[in-house]
Amino acid sequence: MIEDEDENAMQNTKNADYCLAIVRGRYPSLAPAEQRAATFILEHPESAAEMTSVQLATAAGVGESTVVKCCQRLGFTGFSQLKLALVRELATSREGAFGQVEPGDDVPTICDKIFTATIQAVEDTAKVLDPSQVARAAEAIRGAKRVFFFGVGSSGVVAQDAQLKFMRIGMTAFSYQDTHAQLTQAALLTPEDVAVIITYSGRTRETTDVLELARGCGAHTVCITNFPTSPAAMGSDTVLCTTAHEATGLRSGAMTSRLTQLAVIDCLFTSVAMKDSDKAMELLMKTVDALAARKA
């Protein structure tokens, strides 16, 4: 019990360093009423930082108990701790990071909003990503006979990128775009394999089915996701968290989440490669030479 309390306290202290990142990342998992409170915080962080919980509840059109529950669901002990976190973060936060592209925006504004949101997502992911989990995943991959990367949609593209990276340093790595092929391979994994599940929501049916099969075979499972309390995350041995807010409308096609996933893959790849950097560099140079020979 004491260990659990200490762990919760450590997590609450850590959350206090990146309040808005937590709110953006966990927003979709909140209840509708809690989302209204979170929306007000995201859109008016300066005002929220100066309000009482009653005032914020009135402004958001919810009950005070909803505000408290929202804060607790986000990992804070209550509204007071969230307020302190807001004050700390506002001193260094990037203004307008949560702004959405709207009809009528000119090209310079569109570019500014997209780059600002992308930079914010990568910076937020750097804050929430747990290095100890990266190290654990890297160690599992280094000791694995084979490593498989699974994902669908845009996450499938990230899985393919990961497979190519790890293949270039001598790892026996695979990825499959076809979901039937993914399920077939997942059913044939062994305890000597590692399955890396890449999923923004952590709730995609195809992805959770693959995870269940991989676990049943005894493979070490690594989940890269935006939601640490999602089914995929809760069912994995190791979880690597991203933080990206996917907007509605034109930017709903997993833009920022894809880039944060790629950044996490790069961290994982480099962590594996640096354990034997001389060998990794030698193998990388061989692949560079092989590709260079194809240039005109």
Side-chain angles (χ1 to χ4, degrees), residues 83-140:
K83 277 183 60 176
L84 291 174
L86 273 177
V87 171
R88 292 174 57 179
E89 185 165 354
L90 288 173
T92 57
S93 65
R94 194 178 300 274
E95 186 177 357
F98 199 63
Q100 306 301 331
V101 176
E102 300 174 352
D105 285 348
D106 57 18
V107 173
T109 300
I110 291 172
C111 293
D112 180 65
K113 286 185 175 181
I114 289 178
F115 275 104
T116 298
T118 299
I119 292 169
Q120 186 69 58
V122 173
E123 290 181 344
D124 289 347
T125 296
K127 295 174 183 176
V128 303
L129 184 63
D130 186 346
S132 67
Q133 290 290 292
V134 176
R136 183 182 181 189
E139 191 63 26

Side-chain angles (χ1 to χ4, degrees), residues 120-261:
Q120 186 69 58
V122 173
E123 290 181 344
D124 289 347
T125 296
K127 295 174 183 176
V128 303
L129 184 63
D130 186 346
S132 67
Q133 290 290 292
V134 176
R136 183 182 181 189
E139 191 63 26
I141 289 175
R142 286 187 65 247
K145 183 177 181 180
R146 302 175 300 176
V147 56
F148 296 85
F149 296 92
F150 298 102
V152 297
S154 64
S155 295
V157 176
V158 176
Q160 186 176 33
D161 175 80
Q163 183 258 327
L164 292 172
K165 279 187 171 68
F166 281 88
M167 181 183 68
R168 293 187 65 185
I169 58 171
M171 298 293 302
T172 303
F174 303 90
S175 69
Y176 304 92
Q177 293 295 304
D178 182 81
T179 55
H180 286 187
Q182 291 186 32
L183 291 168
T184 300
Q185 182 57 74
L188 299 175
L189 297 181
T190 74
E192 296 182 293
D193 299 323
V194 168
V196 181
I197 313 298
I198 305 170
T199 168
Y200 169 73
S201 69
R203 298 179 181 275
T204 307
R205 176 63 183 273
E206 295 89 343
T207 300
T208 54
D209 285 349
V210 163
L211 173 61
E212 184 177 349
L213 288 169
R215 289 186 63 198
C217 293
H220 184 97
T221 53
V222 178
C223 182
I224 300 177
T225 183
N226 211 74
F227 301 101
T229 58
S230 64
M234 298 298 287
S236 297
D237 297 309
T238 306
V239 180
L240 306 180
C241 289
T242 60
T243 296
H245 175 78
E246 290 300 348
T248 58
L250 293 176
R251 297 207 70 213
S252 62
M255 292 186 179
T256 55
S257 65
R258 182 185 69 247
L259 294 173
T260 56
Q261 289 169 351

Side-chain angles (χ1 to χ4, degrees), residues 35-96:
Q35 287 185 343
R36 291 200 291 274
T39 296
F40 185 89
I41 293 169
L42 289 169
E43 294 181 348
H44 311 283
E46 293 86 357
S47 298
E50 297 178 355
M51 290 179 169
T52 65
S53 58
V54 174
Q55 290 172 330
L56 191 145
T58 300
V62 299
E64 183 185 8
S65 62
T66 298
V67 171
V68 176
K69 289 179 182 178
C70 175
C71 295
Q72 292 173 342
R73 287 278 297 276
L74 294 171
F76 297 94
T77 56
F79 182 64
S80 295
Q81 190 187 41
L82 185 143
K83 277 183 60 176
L84 291 174
L86 273 177
V87 171
R88 292 174 57 179
E89 185 165 354
L90 288 173
T92 57
S93 65
R94 194 178 300 274
E95 186 177 357

